[in-house]
Amino acid sequence: MPSESRPSPGASTLTRRSLLEAGALVVGFCFAPAGPARGQSGAAAAGAPRALPLDQVDSFLALRADGRVVVRSGKVDLGTGHRIAMRQMVGEELGIAVDRIDLIEGDTALTPNQGPTAGSTGVMRGGVELRQAAATAREALLTMAAERLQVPVAELTLADGEVRAAGGRSIAVAALLGERGFDVKMNPKAPLKRPSQYVLVGQSLPRPDVPAKVTGRHVYVHDHVLPGMLHGRVLRPPAVGAKVEAVDESSIARLPGVRVVRILDFVGVVCADEWAAVRAARELKVRWSESATLIGHDALVGWARTGPFVAEEVIAAKGDAQRVAALGGAADALRATYSWPIQSHGSIGPSCAVADVRADGGTVWTASQASHRFLNVFAALVDLPRDKLRVVYLDGAGCYGMNGHDDAAADAVLLSKAVGKPVRVQWSREDELGWDPKGPPQLLELKATLTPDGRIDAWETDMWVPRATANLEWVPLLAPLAAGMRQPVGQSVGLVSQNGDPPYPANGVKVSAHWLGPAPLRPSNIRAPGKVANCFAVESFVDELAAKAKIDPLAFRLRDMTNPRGAEVLRRMAQLIDWQARPSPTAARRGGVAVGRGMAYIHYKNSETYVAIAMDVEVERSSGEIVVRRVCCAHDCGLMINPDAVRAQVEGNILQTLSRTLYEETTFDRSRVTSVDWGSYRLLRFPAVPRLEIALIDRPDQPPLGAGEAASSPVPAALANAVFDATGVRLRSVPFGSGKLKALLS
Amino acid sequence: MASIRLTVNGAPQAIEAWDPDMPLLYALRNDLGLHAAKFGCGLGQCGSCTVLLDDAPVRSCTVRLKDAAGRRIVTAEGLGSPEKPHPVQAAFIAEQAAQCGYCTNGMVMSAVALLRQVPRPTREQAQEALAGNLCRCGSHDRVLRAVQRAAGAPRA
């Protein structure tokens, strides 16, 4: 494995012209001794203007003279294992071992713009693109070798960095290419290796970054150090929307070497000493105006129902519309309302970025999911042409959507521009939980009737969601907002209205979205955007219907399931947990503890990964406390590039979503977020971690689908259904706090 | 400017500090360039900044530098390297017990401290010992497996 414990990419001057050599420079970094990253000035490090079109193999791949391959990925590894998966996909097609592949990620000067790393698209789009580039490259190499060796292409093989012909003749690929690159267009039809030929794909190869992460050598953006770098902190107002009335710089006169930067309502401090910057941000006296523009978290459900609304949309309409229309007046219809709170991304490391912005150019080091997109944003903020600014991805703490990292980068950009030196900004815990853009609130109302034999007759979903979260033109970044600067288009968020319909046959279905104006707190995408809440509502309601029909929840789902892959994950899940057929609730008890089991299923986005989850829970009736004992999951994401990396994603999806469901809610009053530490914003802790059993279904003949989000979606409904099975009580609003359940139980 | 002496990963160090109340974490990261310990909350609530202070796991974000004077500190860098990892680090690598890895430093340090006290912990004992370490990626199960592996226990 190449060591990943290296000074940060982009930390050194890029002096040469060709991408090939830029790649070679990065390879050199891989073997540099570990230690604090060294770097050059931002202006010098800015990338030369360079087009990396998506239809050119050279945008993605370069071969070095020594036979190593440089892969340029616009998508990045957010802790998800792409760093090994991308190497496996490219290495497979090029017949080269993963430890002979160097990977550059998310550097706007060196990687093509493959779009943001979001929506579980890393492998299924980004990796597939790289794989096609590699397959095209193989085709080109074989054609060149055939000419050189005077042997038909069909008799040649590409392996270990050389093209081989029968009789022991071979030619090194480096000798074929020289320094000129491939100079071929991407061929979407270039043949891929067949699954029976795979030697790398499908192997659980270890991730190259883990040894450095475990021994403290991995360089995160938080660890990036430049010569002469200053530490910056930005003061966020005590109330959202408050304006600066006065800044008393004498209040921090005792702190050494602190400089205050103020641009309208943007107030920051910079200092060579980080601790002095931290203290200055705490101790600087700023008089802010009063502001009470928020509605408070208790008012969310009422806000969702009353609007203002900006649009109405029918998301899905299937089958018999008259049956659906009759639902409103149907006496025998089942009705239920589900709600999801505002949540933080809850990153363990507060957001951080380093910027070095000079008059003639600059570089920004950021943990962004979308470095290419934010290049435009940052360039506009500092009035630099795009080709004078470079944005370089470095790992941050796991983000699971757009947390505060792009805001921290904008903070660093403005501070660096103001002082003309490199500036590192790291947010505080209070900044991160208080000011990261939030997962939006969702409200869903469901109605359905059953046929006489207990099948779904008519089904209607009404969802109330902030419009901004579904079709956002730009997430307003905090720094330019405070500084009164115009912002160009920023990051959009995921498709929050998907999976609002039942994944089972029904005689009539309608799903409508009532789009609200901007969310009460600045929204962004959070893992499996919208679909966690939608699946919570849909799969809980399916359980309610099965209970009403007195039919076993597994049988209710499987009975008319037409999708064979969906049926298989349900059956595999049932095998894993040894599902005992019975209608819910069973209301089994052991002393004062109620015991139950529940399940849920999703076909993610109705077109991607299949997941079925079941879990065993215990509920202490006197306290309302839920203990999750065991979670079983069957997962089908098509071809698996690296099964252990998929397994890690499934484990993480399950545990993170248990945390979101059991504990997490961003609370706020009329002025500010009030859940700003790990006491007031609770996360799952080790003692509450259940046993996990996971069955991964590999389908080598199918395209690879995403694993980063899907398994999170069925978790809340499986938990709610298990609690119902144990107690007969239905939890319809997240989080499932013990106080809420205790009140329902008594 | 106070000069505070301490031993870090076996080597004597002197830190020149304008504020001896500065948390130890900043001295480790900025004065000594040891980046394993991470800032997570500054409140002693998450465990990302855990180091060993005279063999006991402490949150270096809440230990004042002056209170570390004359004492022995071990960071994850002092335990092992990618080439020669400590047995606990080797177990974390074998179990691939990190996703983003930001909290991993604290997990490793807490696990080392646990195994010195309880060489063969049960899964429940490990869960309790790690109760003060937060992970957002959901690597908990792998971390528990790594602790079991480091303890030489059969796979739980």
Side-chain angles (χ1 to χ4, degrees):
Chain A
M1 278 307 130
S3 167
E4 300 280 336
S5 58
R6 60 181 194 270
S8 321
S12 194
T13 311
L14 269 178
T15 53
R16 291 296 311 270
R17 281 72 51 191
S18 80
L19 274 170
L20 184 62
E21 281 156 358
L25 266 178
V26 171
V27 173
F29 294 164
C30 290
F31 299 100
R38 297 275 171 259
Q40 307 292 324
S41 82
R50 216 190 289 285
L52 294 169
L54 292 171
D55 64 349
Q56 289 292 326
V57 170
D58 289 325
S59 300
F60 299 94
L61 295 174
L63 288 179
R64 292 187 35 190
D66 62 1
R68 293 186 71 85
V69 170
V70 179
V71 175
R72 301 191 186 83
S73 173
K75 295 201 190 272
V76 300
D77 188 327
L78 301 167
T80 44
H82 292 174
R83 225 158 257 161
I84 187 66
M86 301 298 172
R87 284 179 166 96
Q88 287 175 264
M89 293 176 87
V90 168
E92 187 69 71
E93 298 304 326
L94 285 179
I96 184 169
V98 290
D99 59 1
R100 288 169 59 76
I101 298 175
D102 300 299
L103 183 67
I104 308 170
E105 301 165 62
D107 181 332
T108 58
L110 299 178
T111 67
N113 181 3
Q114 294 180 279
T117 309
S120 284
T121 58
V123 164
M124 72 179 284
R125 302 214 204 293
V128 162
E129 215 162 17
L130 290 175
R131 182 174 71 176
Q132 206 57 42
T136 307
R138 181 179 62 194
E139 196 176 47
L141 288 169
L142 292 179
T143 305
M144 281 184 247
E147 213 166 282
R148 199 79 82 82
L149 297 172
Q150 293 295 303
V151 175
V153 166
E155 293 173 21
L156 295 173
T157 55
L158 174 62
D160 303 326
E162 55 184 30
V163 180
R164 293 172 187 154
R169 291 171 69 209
S170 70
I171 184 164
V173 295
L176 282 172
L177 271 191
E179 292 231 354
R180 62 199 160 88
F182 289 97
D183 194 24
V184 290
K185 279 207 157 200
M186 289 275 271
N187 175 8
K189 297 227 166 84
L192 298 170
K193 281 257 183 82
R194 291 189 302 277
S196 61
Q197 300 172 300
Y198 286 163
V199 292
L200 296 176
V201 167
Q203 303 293 314
S204 288
L205 300 180
R207 291 162 48 209
D209 45 355
V210 171
K213 284 177 171 174
V214 166
T215 54
R217 265 70 165 191
H218 190 74
V219 179
Y220 293 83
V221 68
H222 304 71
D223 307 321
H224 186 54
V225 178
L226 296 171
M229 182 180 86
L230 303 177
H231 290 273
R233 293 293 186 274
V234 174
L235 284 79
R236 302 294 172 212
V240 174
K243 309 280 179 207
V244 174
E245 292 177 344
V247 177
D248 174 12
E249 294 195 27
S250 71
S251 59
I252 54 165
R254 62 189 173 280
L255 298 175
V258 179
R259 181 171 160 190
V260 174
V261 174
R262 179 180 169 192
I263 311 166
L264 201 64
D265 298 316
F266 176 84
V267 183
V269 291
V270 287
C271 183
D273 184 278
E274 184 177 16
W275 177 239
V278 172
R279 281 193 52 185
R282 285 182 195 161
E283 296 169 28
L284 178 65
K285 285 209 175 93
V286 178
R287 197 169 78 232
W288 299 89
S289 66
E290 297 288 321
S291 181
T293 56
L294 306 178
I295 60 172
H297 66 273
D298 285 335
L300 272 178
V301 169
W303 163 79
R305 285 203 183 281
T306 53
F309 298 99
V310 294
E312 298 287 321
E313 185 180 357
V314 176
I315 306 291
K318 293 180 280 195
D320 187 339
Q322 285 187 340
R323 283 173 197 259
V324 176
L327 266 175
D332 60 342
L334 196 63
R335 295 179 171 79
T337 302
Y338 297 85
S339 66
W340 196 271
I342 294 179
Q343 294 182 328
S344 171
H345 298 82
S347 296
I348 296 297
S351 294
C352 182
V354 179
D356 188 1
V357 179
R358 311 292 172 95
D360 58 346
T363 307
V364 184
W365 290 266
T366 168
S368 182
Q369 291 174 285
S371 47
H372 283 91
R373 188 173 286 173
F374 280 97
L375 169 65
N376 299 330
V377 177
F378 300 147
L381 290 185
V382 293
D383 283 330
L384 281 172
R386 287 183 74 248
D387 59 7
K388 294 294 182 195
L389 194 70
R390 177 179 177 191
V391 181
V392 180
Y393 172 79
L394 283 177
D395 282 353
C399 59
Y400 331 102
M402 182 184 166
N403 64 356
H405 47 215
D406 296 311
D407 286 302
D411 290 346
V413 164
L414 288 196
L415 290 176
S416 176
K417 162 114 175 168
V419 300
K421 290 186 173 161
V423 175
R424 170 187 183 274
V425 171
Q426 180 174 281
W427 280 15
S428 69
R429 174 49 44 205
E430 186 176 356
D431 290 337
E432 187 70 30
L433 288 172
W435 291 92
D436 79 313
K438 299 291 188 291
Q442 288 173 261
L443 182 71
L444 293 107
E445 199 172 86
L446 290 86
K447 295 191 278 289
T449 46
L450 291 165
T451 60
D453 62 348
R455 291 176 150 84
I456 302 170
D457 186 26
W459 173 296
E460 183 164 22
T461 300
D462 284 278
M463 54 175 74
W464 288 263
V465 262
R467 174 73 171 187
T469 62
N471 192 20
L472 197 61
E473 289 179 0
W474 47 286
V475 174
L477 295 177
L478 296 173
L481 210 60
M485 296 168 147
R486 195 188 66 81
Q487 296 184 71
V489 172
Q491 192 176 27
S492 68
V493 295
L495 291 161
V496 296
S497 61
Q498 292 166 318
N499 290 114
D501 50 337
Y504 315 104
N507 292 323
V509 174
K510 186 179 179 190
V511 180
S512 306
H514 312 283
W515 295 106
L516 290 146
L521 294 174
R522 192 174 56 130
S524 76
N525 53 335
I526 191 168
R527 199 174 202 170
K531 290 164 282 286
V532 173
N534 295 344
C535 185
F536 166 51
V538 168
E539 278 291 283
S540 293
F541 198 59
V542 164
D543 211 67
E544 296 200 46
L545 290 170
K548 189 181 182 198
K550 297 192 169 50
I551 294 172
D552 170 60
L554 177 65
F556 191 89
R557 287 171 169 84
L558 267 179
R559 191 171 47 181
D560 300 314
M561 170 75 79
T562 50
N563 189 315
R565 290 171 72 176
E568 180 159 357
V569 292
L570 278 164
R571 285 196 203 95
R572 290 288 293 275
M573 170 273 289
Q575 279 169 13
L576 267 184
I577 204 161
D578 187 22
W579 185 264
Q580 305 292 316
R582 78 286 180 277
S584 270
T586 52
R589 291 215 198 179
R590 282 199 292 268
V593 175
V595 182
R597 172 177 284 184
M599 70 163 63
Y601 161 79
I602 194 165
H603 182 198
Y604 195 63
K605 302 180 189 174
N606 288 338
S607 62
E608 297 178 9
T609 295
Y610 302 82
V611 191
I613 285 179
M615 61 181 78
D616 286 325
V617 305
E618 295 175 4
V619 177
E620 196 178 82
R621 295 191 64 93
S622 60
S623 65
E625 196 189 335
I626 301 166
V627 178
V628 181
R629 288 290 175 202
R630 181 180 176 215
V631 180
C632 295
C633 173
H635 189 273
D636 170 2
C637 59
L639 166 69
M640 287 191 287
I641 308 304
N642 184 316
D644 190 59
V646 170
R647 185 175 294 272
Q649 286 306 294
V650 174
E651 292 169 4
N653 272 306
I654 292 169
L655 295 177
Q656 186 180 88
T657 313
L658 279 178
S659 180
R660 289 175 67 183
T661 310
L662 284 166
Y663 310 117
E664 296 181 32
E665 177 176 23
T666 292
T667 58
F668 57 104
D669 58 22
R670 296 294 311 280
S671 297
R672 66 186 70 84
V673 173
T674 52
S675 49
V676 290
D677 67 7
W678 295 126
S680 48
Y681 194 90
R682 246 181 107 187
L683 296 187
L684 181 84
R685 289 180 183 269
F686 270 94
V689 172
R691 297 274 181 178
L692 301 178
E693 292 169 49
I694 295 162
L696 301 176
I697 298 167
D698 191 20
R699 299 196 183 274
D701 56 336
Q702 295 292 319
L705 303 170
E709 298 178 321
S712 58
S713 304
V715 169
L719 180 53
N721 296 343
V723 170
F724 174 76
D725 187 52
T727 64
V729 165
R730 180 56 65 180
L731 289 167
R732 298 194 185 92
S733 72
V734 166
F736 298 169
S738 55
K740 190 181 286 178
L741 183 52
K742 186 182 174 183
L744 288 167
L745 282 166
S746 58
Chain B
M1 191 68 85
S3 182
I4 290 168
R5 294 177 180 280
L6 30 76
T7 302
V8 180
N9 297 332
Q13 300 285 357
I15 310 285
E16 307 299 323
W18 64 273
D19 178 4
D21 286 341
M22 176 176 80
L24 172 63
L25 175 66
Y26 295 93
L28 295 173
R29 290 183 56 85
N30 297 333
D31 294 274
L32 302 179
L34 295 169
H35 290 159
K38 299 277 186 268
F39 178 86
C41 64
L43 305 164
Q45 293 179 336
C46 76
S48 303
C49 64
T50 305
V51 299
L52 300 181
L53 183 69
D54 291 344
D55 297 326
V58 296
R59 309 299 187 227
S60 64
C61 75
T62 56
V63 174
R64 292 178 299 187
L65 183 58
K66 67 183 182 192
D67 295 333
R71 302 177 72 177
R72 282 180 294 113
I73 289 130
V74 175
T75 71
E77 291 103 332
L79 292 177
S81 64
E83 297 74 29
K84 287 182 85 172
H86 179 278
V88 169
Q89 292 170 324
F92 271 69
I93 295 167
E95 295 289 348
Q96 297 280 289
Q99 289 189 33
C100 82
Y102 198 88
C103 72
T104 305
N105 163 72
M107 301 292 174
V108 168
M109 302 312 287
S110 296
V112 167
L114 166 69
L115 292 171
R116 284 182 185 168
Q117 297 284 319
V118 186
R120 299 289 293 265
T122 62
R123 181 175 163 107
E124 289 70 29
Q125 285 174 314
Q127 285 176 288
E128 286 304 322
L130 293 165
N133 289 86
L134 291 175
C135 167
R136 184 54 161 167
C137 295
S139 293
H140 306 73
D141 196 57
R142 284 169 187 256
V143 170
L144 293 171
R145 274 148 44 194
V147 172
Q148 298 288 310
R149 179 187 279 265
R155 283 283 296 271

